[in-house]
Amino acid sequence: MAAVAAAGGAGPAVLQVAGLYRGLCAVRTRALGLGLVSPAQLRVFPVRRGSGGPAGGADGSGVGAELEANPFYDRYRDKIQQLRRSDPAAFESRLEKRIEFRKQPVGHSRQGDFIKCVEQKTDALGKHPVSRGFTKGKTLSSIFNIEMVKDKTAEEIRQIWQQYFAAKDTVYAVIPKEKFDLIWSRAQSCPTFLCALPRREGYEFFVGQWTGTELHFTALINIQTRGDAATSQLVLYHYPELKEEKGIVLMTAEMDPTFLNVAEAQCIANQVQLFYATDRKETYGLVENFNFRPNEFKYMSVIAELEQSGLGAELKCAQNQDKT
């Protein structure tokens, strides 16, 4: 899970559930609210809590020992060090926030303030210059000759789209009109959400932000360490040009392979349908809570929904096999 020692803004509630075990957070199979952990809980995933040591690392790098101990730190090492070199004052200020976090009682962190802070930071996703490997203003016509498929049926277009991307290392889909209309309608009122990506060490949270028909994702630790400078690590492009005539919306993606492989990007993309296209009130209620009632939002419920759906099971199994 994302490290919070270098986070800006209010104290994240995700940190507070780590109180029982050093670096571990217990999770039941059912949805749990933050601060409701107990020794009876059945499974664990890593969450790092401030150790109370000095802000600087043992090597004098200025990176806190608890941040370096985060299982995902190596993945973001270069960007964190870049922030430290470019703006030492801002970096040290974020490290010092951990003192404030430790003073907050377990279960009483300012969760609503934290979510609002995350939303403010993610609002910049898609508005910065496009990172290397991403296409700015990626249009359907740059991929697909729309004129050549106008006389094709929806099923024929589906087959063409799938055949085109089958040999490419990316995520793609053909979304029925009714399902996309539901997703799109909900995205207008709830443009930001949190997804949980299974990792060997547990779960890493990714924040999604709709920008037009593009859906930008970046890891929570990326937002916490880089703030407004955080760039997208996955972009889902939705093309509704054929929606009215053919009843389908085409989707493809671009990702930063430094942070995500295709299977991981697919798991995140599947969660868009899980949370935005669901008929289950409780599931979409998590999205509404995140956007409108942040104090009621429960991070553990996101993991519970993902596990109940089975979307992350295959990815988790593959990661365990790689580990062995």
Side-chain angles (χ1 to χ4, degrees):
M1 201 174 95
V4 293
V14 292
L15 181 68
Q16 304 304 321
V17 293
L20 294 178
Y21 309 97
R22 178 176 177 79
L24 295 175
C25 173
V27 185
R28 292 187 191 272
T29 52
R30 63 181 179 84
L32 284 177
L34 294 174
L36 299 181
V37 294
S38 74
Q41 291 169 322
L42 305 178
R43 297 175 294 105
V44 297
F45 71 92
V47 178
R48 177 61 52 186
R49 187 173 186 173
S51 62
D59 60 356
S61 66
V63 180
E66 70 275 19
L67 182 60
E68 291 180 339
N70 184 280
F72 306 115
Y73 172 74
D74 288 343
R75 192 181 293 260
Y76 297 90
R77 181 192 303 272
D78 293 342
K79 291 186 177 181
I80 292 174
Q81 294 291 3
Q82 181 181 355
L83 173 65
R84 175 174 173 263
R85 289 192 296 268
S86 63
D87 194 346
F91 181 80
E92 291 299 329
S93 175
R94 293 178 187 182
L95 282 179
E96 290 170 1
K97 288 291 184 181
R98 78 193 198 287
I99 299 174
E100 177 184 347
F101 300 159
R102 288 200 303 270
K103 293 179 180 178
Q104 297 172 6
V106 174
H108 290 80
S109 57
R110 295 195 299 273
Q111 177 169 297
D113 291 343
F114 173 60
I115 291 178
K116 290 176 183 177
C117 175
V118 169
E119 289 177 334
Q120 291 170 0
K121 301 298 184 184
T122 54
D123 188 55
L125 286 179
K127 298 179 182 179
H128 291 303
V130 178
S131 304
R132 184 176 62 182
F134 288 84
T135 305
K136 184 176 179 61
K138 188 180 182 72
T139 62
L140 180 59
S141 59
S142 68
I143 308 172
F144 210 58
N145 189 328
I146 301 176
E147 294 300 320
M148 290 186 65
V149 300
K150 282 192 172 180
D151 61 340
K152 304 289 185 182
T153 65
E155 181 56 33
E156 289 172 330
I157 296 173
R158 182 192 305 273
Q159 293 176 3
I160 294 171
W161 189 257
Q162 292 176 341
Q163 289 172 3
Y164 178 79
F165 286 105
K168 300 181 183 295
D169 289 331
T170 190
V171 174
Y172 59 93
V174 179
I175 307 170
K177 175 184 181 299
E178 296 75 14
K179 182 167 293 185
F180 180 80
D181 284 344
L182 177 59
I183 293 173
W184 181 244
S185 173
R186 289 174 167 177
Q188 302 314 294
S189 58
C190 298
T192 310
F193 192 56
L194 203 69
C195 292
L197 180 65
R199 297 289 198 188
R200 291 180 189 175
E201 302 87 353
Y203 288 89
E204 183 176 15
F205 284 117
F206 279 73
V207 182
Q209 173 72 38
W210 286 88
T211 302
T213 54
E214 296 178 3
L215 181 50
H216 293 249
F217 286 94
T218 195
L220 181 56
I221 188 176
N222 195 30
I223 295 172
Q224 292 174 316
T225 55
R226 306 197 69 208
D228 293 336
T231 55
S232 303
Q233 295 170 332
L234 170 66
V235 182
L236 304 183
Y237 301 96
H238 300 84
Y239 300 110
E241 286 90 333
L242 302 173
K243 180 167 72 77
E244 299 304 327
E245 183 179 353
K246 305 296 183 179
I248 56 175
V249 172
L250 304 176
M251 187 275 282
T252 188
E254 291 179 334
M255 70 202 75
D256 185 340
T258 306
F259 301 98
L260 293 168
N261 59 37
V262 175
E264 292 166 343
Q266 184 68 64
C267 182
I268 293 174
N270 287 343
Q271 290 182 62
V272 179
Q273 177 174 325
L274 172 63
F275 290 105
Y276 279 88
T278 181
D279 294 328
R280 190 169 178 267
K281 182 179 179 180
E282 293 80 5
T283 303
Y284 180 61
L286 291 174
V287 181
E288 292 181 309
N289 284 348
F290 190 90
N291 284 268
F292 299 115
R293 298 176 292 276
N295 288 318
E296 298 178 19
F297 179 75
K298 300 177 181 179
Y299 291 83
M300 302 305 183
S301 295
V302 174
I303 296 174
E305 288 288 343
L306 179 63
E307 292 186 342
Q308 183 177 346
S309 71
L311 289 180
E314 184 175 345
L315 180 59
K316 197 72 174 177
C317 179
Q319 291 171 341
N320 290 336
Q321 290 177 349
D322 291 341
K323 187 175 182 179
T324 55

